[in-house]
Amino acid sequence: MDTIGVRIRKIREERGIIQEFIAEQMGIGQSTYSRLEKDDCIQRDLSKKPSKLKTAQRPTNHLVF
């Protein structure tokens, strides 16, 4: 079974969207977005207490996957 990051990457690639575009829409750097697709950030952030997690600074309801 694919991880969340792998599934996100597959959808992004199927739609011909580059990492830089999605990262910009999310208000994060491309390297941070790349780590999300590799599940690097997810594993580390899941070990944090919920009060320590960062919240999105921009609404994400306009993103299309």
Side-chain angles (χ1 to χ4, degrees):
M1 181 186 332
D2 291 336
T3 64
I4 292 171
V6 169
R7 289 185 290 186
I8 290 171
R9 186 190 78 229
K10 284 180 180 180
I11 293 169
R12 177 184 59 76
E13 290 175 345
E14 286 171 1
R15 296 182 183 206
I17 302 171
I18 60 173
Q19 288 183 345
E20 290 85 356
F21 175 78
I22 296 177
E24 182 180 316
Q25 296 298 309
M26 295 175 67
I28 61 175
Q30 182 275 328
S31 61
T32 301
Y33 180 81
S34 176
R35 289 180 21 225
L36 288 170
E37 285 191 356
K38 294 177 184 174
D39 297 306
D40 182 44
C41 295
I42 296 169
Q43 294 296 327
R44 184 177 34 207
D45 286 347
L46 288 176
S47 67
K48 294 181 181 179
K49 293 181 180 180
S51 61
K52 300 285 184 181
L53 294 175
K54 294 180 182 179
T55 57
Q57 298 296 316
R58 302 172 82 184
T60 56
N61 58 349
H62 63 284
L63 297 177
V64 179
F65 281 96

